[in-house]
Amino acid sequence: MDIMTIIGIIGGFVCIVMSVVTSGGTLGGIWDFPSFIFTVIGSYTALCIAFPMKYVVGVWGILGRTFKIPSFNEKVLIENMVNLSEKARREGILALEEGLEDLDDEFLKNGLRMVVDGTDGIVIRTIMENEMAQSEGRHLQWVTVLNAWAGLGPGYGMMGTVIGLIGMLNNLEDKSSLGPNMAVALLTTLYGSLIANMFMTPFSTKLQGQNSQEMIIKEMVIEGVLSIQAGDNPRILGQKLLTYLDPVTAKSVKESVIKD
């Protein structure tokens, strides 16, 4: 569970509550169900126009990923590649075929299958980089959906405000209702801003960060597969792979990977 996402959401709501209470207002004053429906549900349904159904329906599951810390098993991947490098140098490339199915990482497994099949290194790199690019493209498509929702939210908020103002101007003879009606009209603007700035933009930024992490790990796997094929020294291979990790993570796995 990514506690920072939860802290960010709770902290945002706390700031809203504190600003309302300390300014002399009430929480009931910033809640209006019709405004919420128009802004949130309205902006969501607009996604149906922009994207296929699988994205409109699947966006809720993607939002759930922002509450999880992705695990790319960097340590296991590096240990596996170093061990496989030692095995390839000791028994030959064909010996790698045994035990391939025990590997959990499909990207690594597919790369090693091509090595065992005697595929040229340039072809292996091209295929794996293309697979990586396609994977990144799928990830960024979800980011595009969230960014679109972030843009639609404030737009629907403004439309709701305009609708509220039109209704208010049609009843100008009732002076006592002008203030309350104006407040309700402005709530849609608030909700639209919350959609963009408190939720969708931060969510999309987090997903972009997760994608960047995954792409770095995939680059590391490509380098490892090609190094195994080239017959690099396992110790050199380990050192090379560690450069793809941040200093803290690299230090934590170095002792088990780089052996004297």
Side-chain angles (χ1 to χ4, degrees):
M1 181 66 71
D2 191 343
I3 191 66
M4 294 308 296
T5 299
I6 298 175
I7 290 175
I9 293 176
I10 294 176
F13 280 117
V14 168
C15 289
I16 293 173
V17 171
M18 290 183 62
S19 65
V20 171
V21 173
T22 56
S23 63
T26 63
L27 295 181
I30 61 170
W31 171 250
D32 183 67
F33 186 68
S35 298
F36 177 85
I37 291 296
F38 180 82
T39 308
V40 178
I41 305 302
S43 60
Y44 173 70
T45 56
L47 294 176
C48 297
I49 302 173
F51 301 98
M53 181 179 291
K54 68 176 183 178
Y55 292 108
V56 178
V57 175
V59 69
W60 302 105
I62 294 300
L63 290 176
R65 294 186 184 182
T66 64
F67 292 87
K68 302 175 182 178
I69 299 177
S71 175
F72 302 112
N73 296 318
E74 300 96 330
K75 180 179 179 180
V76 174
L77 280 172
I78 294 177
E79 288 179 343
N80 283 340
M81 285 188 280
V82 170
N83 291 335
L84 289 169
S85 175
E86 293 174 346
K87 184 176 182 179
R89 283 168 62 89
R90 184 176 60 250
E91 303 175 25
I93 290 293
L94 293 179
L96 298 179
E97 186 171 11
E98 181 183 353
L100 271 186
E101 296 304 319
D102 296 331
L103 297 175
D104 295 326
D105 190 277
E106 285 296 325
F107 192 63
L108 173 60
K109 190 186 300 184
N110 292 336
L112 290 174
R113 281 200 188 101
M114 289 187 284
V115 170
V116 172
D117 291 340
T119 308
D120 183 75
I122 296 177
V123 176
I124 293 176
R125 178 179 290 278
T126 299
I127 292 175
M128 296 187 75
E129 286 182 346
N130 183 62
E131 182 179 345
M132 185 176 75
Q134 296 304 313
S135 176
E136 183 173 31
R138 291 190 293 271
H139 295 169
L140 295 182
Q141 181 61 41
W142 289 110
V143 172
T144 300
V145 174
L146 296 186
N147 286 335
W149 199 351
L152 290 167
Y156 267 77
M158 288 302 299
M159 282 194 291
T161 297
V162 170
I163 292 172
L165 290 176
I166 292 173
M168 184 186 71
L169 292 174
N170 285 330
N171 294 280
L172 280 178
E173 65 278 0
D174 185 3
K175 306 297 182 183
S176 63
S177 66
L178 290 181
N181 288 341
M182 183 66 176
V184 171
L186 291 175
L187 282 179
T188 56
T189 300
L190 172 63
Y191 296 156
S193 181
L194 288 176
I195 289 173
N197 300 303
M198 187 171 168
F199 295 106
M200 297 308 154
T201 298
F203 285 159
S204 69
T205 301
K206 174 152 284 188
L207 290 178
Q208 288 182 66
Q210 292 178 359
N211 172 74
S212 297
Q213 286 180 285
E214 183 174 340
M215 292 307 107
I216 290 173
I217 298 304
K218 287 186 181 298
E219 289 177 5
M220 181 188 75
V221 170
I222 293 174
E223 189 64 42
V225 168
L226 294 177
S227 294
I228 291 173
Q229 184 189 49
D232 288 350
N233 183 290
R235 181 181 177 87
I236 299 301
L237 171 61
Q239 292 280 14
K240 186 186 298 185
L241 298 181
L242 287 175
T243 62
Y244 286 88
L245 307 181
D246 64 86
V248 175
T249 305
K251 184 177 180 180
S252 68
V253 303
K254 183 176 182 179
E255 290 184 1
S256 61
V257 173
I258 308 299
K259 302 174 182 178
D260 294 328

